[in-house]
Amino acid sequence: IRDRSYSLRNFDLLEAVRHLKGLGLHHVELIGQHLPMEAEGEQLAEVLELLRTAEIKLVAHGVAAFGGDHEANRAAFEFAKRAKIGILTANPEPNSFDSLDKLVEEYGVRIAIHNHGPGALYDKIDDVVRAVAGHHPSIGACVDTGHFIRSKEDPVEAIRRLGARVFALHVKDEEKQEAQSQNVVVGRGFLDLVGMFRALKEVRFPADGALSLEYEANPDNPIDDMRQCIDAVVEALAEVGPFG
């Protein structure tokens, strides 16, 4: 399991890294607050060195916006190249896909479309399935389990339907299947944690995918709840068994 640093959005990067290390996590998806896409040179080198020293690998970044401006889109891929990131979680506008088809091929970076919940561009499973259909194999999905639950959708079904297009997950659980809800420790709400891992095993979720815990509740002091989430994940994985 990795973490998405949005869980630690009320902490600066140094504090966030300290917490990740304390939780025993060695992979992270950073948000722009902790690593701006404009970062280069010494600023970027300092962040990467901090992560290296903490034995934390930067596997993804996002959520990035993409539109019809090809060169603006390219800037995000240039950032991914500088930072050696293989996955950009994204909220691409419909007019961005011709550009993205070219850029994922050119840079070898995958785009993972993030569903943002009720009323968003990618609210339902069908929205993501339609978006990726016919596009480059490196354009896929970041399944946000909590947002799908708030949209009254089944995140396990999302994984199965999107299959080999699932490159990333934001793993969180919700107390309600409604637009207005809040996170709970994973497995205590509507997320079938064992079912999620079984589905990931079935679709052969890639070893270099970004499986990130994202805990949005209690942002000033989320660590104890995050630890309970990690314990629940470890227990579920033990029931599912090793991935091939």
Side-chain angles (χ1 to χ4, degrees), residues 1-2 159-160 163 166 169 171 192-211 233-244:
I1 186 78
R2 291 95 158 111
I159 292 166
R160 290 201 170 103
V166 179
L169 281 87
V171 180
D192 177 1
L193 202 54
V194 169
M196 182 192 82
F197 283 117
R198 284 185 175 141
L200 289 172
K201 196 171 179 179
E202 287 169 18
V203 304
R204 299 182 179 181
F205 183 71
D208 61 350
L211 179 66
V233 165
V234 170
E235 186 177 329
L237 280 169
E239 184 172 339
V240 172
F243 280 56

Side-chain angles (χ1 to χ4, degrees), residues 121-149:
L121 189 56
Y122 303 102
D123 175 7
K124 303 292 188 182
I125 299 170
D126 282 345
D127 298 328
V128 186
V129 170
R130 280 194 297 265
V132 301
H135 287 290
H136 194 285
S138 290
I139 296 178
C142 171
V143 173
D144 187 304
T145 60
H147 287 327
F148 270 138
I149 289 167

Side-chain angles (χ1 to χ4, degrees), residues 164-184:
R165 298 266 189 176
V166 179
F167 306 144
L169 281 87
H170 291 166
V171 180
K172 55 183 184 248
D173 204 349
E174 296 288 337
E175 66 170 5
K176 298 176 183 176
Q177 288 179 299
E178 298 174 12
Q180 298 302 317
S181 177
Q182 68 175 9
N183 284 180
V184 294

Side-chain angles (χ1 to χ4, degrees), residues 39-238:
E40 56 186 353
E42 187 175 336
Q43 180 188 10
L44 178 58
E46 286 178 359
V47 171
L48 297 180
E49 178 61 17
L50 173 64
L51 294 174
R52 189 195 66 77
T53 303
E55 299 179 320
I56 296 172
K57 182 174 175 58
L58 177 57
V59 294
H61 191 279
V63 174
F66 292 101
D69 184 332
H70 186 63
E71 290 311 309
N73 295 340
R74 179 184 294 280
F77 283 81
E78 282 290 330
F79 161 74
K81 181 180 176 181
R82 290 195 302 275
K84 297 180 172 60
I85 297 167
I87 298 171
L88 293 173
T89 57
N91 187 51
E93 295 293 330
N95 64 352
S96 69
F97 283 88
D98 287 347
S99 169
L100 293 177
D101 279 331
K102 297 180 178 73
L103 291 167
V104 294
E105 175 70 24
E106 179 180 348
Y107 285 86
V109 171
R110 287 168 287 176
I111 289 293
I113 297 174
H114 177 263
N115 55 294
H116 270 103
L121 189 56
Y122 303 102
D123 175 7
K124 303 292 188 182
I125 299 170
D126 282 345
D127 298 328
V128 186
V129 170
R130 280 194 297 265
V132 301
H135 287 290
H136 194 285
S138 290
I139 296 178
C142 171
V143 173
D144 187 304
T145 60
H147 287 327
F148 270 138
I149 289 167
R150 292 194 307 111
S151 294
K152 297 182 173 63
E153 295 275 77
D154 180 0
V156 175
E157 180 190 350
I159 292 166
R160 290 201 170 103
R161 286 188 59 194
L162 288 156
R165 298 266 189 176
V166 179
F167 306 144
L169 281 87
H170 291 166
V171 180
K172 55 183 184 248
D173 204 349
E174 296 288 337
E175 66 170 5
K176 298 176 183 176
Q177 288 179 299
E178 298 174 12
Q180 298 302 317
S181 177
Q182 68 175 9
N183 284 180
V184 294
V185 171
V186 292
R188 295 187 187 173
F190 288 87
L191 178 61
D192 177 1
L193 202 54
V194 169
M196 182 192 82
F197 283 117
R198 284 185 175 141
L200 289 172
K201 196 171 179 179
E202 287 169 18
V203 304
R204 299 182 179 181
F205 183 71
D208 61 350
L211 179 66
S212 303
L213 172 68
E214 183 177 37
Y215 191 77
E216 295 185 352
N218 196 15
D220 290 331
N221 188 23
I223 306 305
D224 287 345
D225 290 343
M226 290 173 68
R227 187 171 282 113
Q228 291 180 59
C229 287
I230 292 167
D231 289 345
V233 165
V234 170
E235 186 177 329
L237 280 169

